[in-house]
Amino acid sequence: MNDCIFCKIISGEIKSQIVYEDDFVVAFKDLNPQAPTHILIVPKKHIENIAAASEEDALLLGKIQLAAAKIAKDSNIKDFRLVANNGKGAGQSVMHLHYHLMAGRRFLWPAG
Ligand code: AMP
């Protein structure tokens, strides 16, 4: 998508600190980290959010979560939070599906 900041990161047009990439997924450090480890995991395919995903994206959604588990394992992270904000009202500011992988501090539950 032309004006999507995460599509530009995926294409390399915008620089980011990429920590993982495969055929389907890219993961990079969040610009404004909310935890000592804060990585965004995004599909290369532009999908607005979880609500916009369809049956044909089922495998891709699984690959994102497996990438999160691999990134955590490779970084010796045992405990982490994986969050996807869906929609502006839930805090989604970038309209390209992404999961926040956060670790390295205590997380409250219920989340605020
Ligand atoms: P959300 O609010 O759930 O849509 O999350 C969007 C996240 O993208 C925020 O945590 C931002 O800090 C992060 N972000 C925005 N622009 C960039 C960028 N160019 N590189 C890395 N992270 C970014």
Side-chain angles (χ1 to χ4, degrees):
M1 234 201 160
N2 287 346
D3 59 346
C4 170
I5 190 163
F6 286 177
C7 285
K8 288 181 179 171
I9 286 175
I10 291 161
S11 71
E13 191 180 335
I14 291 179
K15 289 274 162 283
S16 68
Q17 287 185 271
I18 291 178
V19 299
Y20 175 85
E21 179 167 9
D22 63 28
D23 288 347
F24 304 94
V25 168
V26 175
F28 51 90
K29 292 189 180 176
D30 196 292
L31 208 55
N32 182 24
Q34 302 300 312
T37 296
H38 188 166
I39 291 164
L40 299 174
I41 305 163
V42 310
K44 288 185 173 176
K45 176 183 176 184
H46 182 90
I47 304 170
E48 196 168 292
N49 53 29
I50 293 173
S54 62
E55 197 61 40
E56 72 175 29
D57 300 315
L59 189 62
L60 185 56
L61 295 177
K63 285 182 181 294
I64 296 172
Q65 296 193 43
L66 290 173
K70 178 171 170 41
I71 292 163
K73 190 174 179 206
D74 290 351
S75 309
N76 285 320
I77 293 169
K78 225 164 36 98
D79 302 318
F80 58 86
R81 182 166 284 184
L82 193 61
V83 179
N85 297 323
N86 189 93
K88 286 189 166 52
Q92 184 179 7
S93 60
V94 178
M95 294 298 150
H96 181 127
L97 175 63
H98 54 281
Y99 283 68
H100 299 256
L101 168 60
M102 293 183 286
R105 68 168 170 83
R106 259 189 89 233
F107 295 101
L108 299 177
W109 191 262

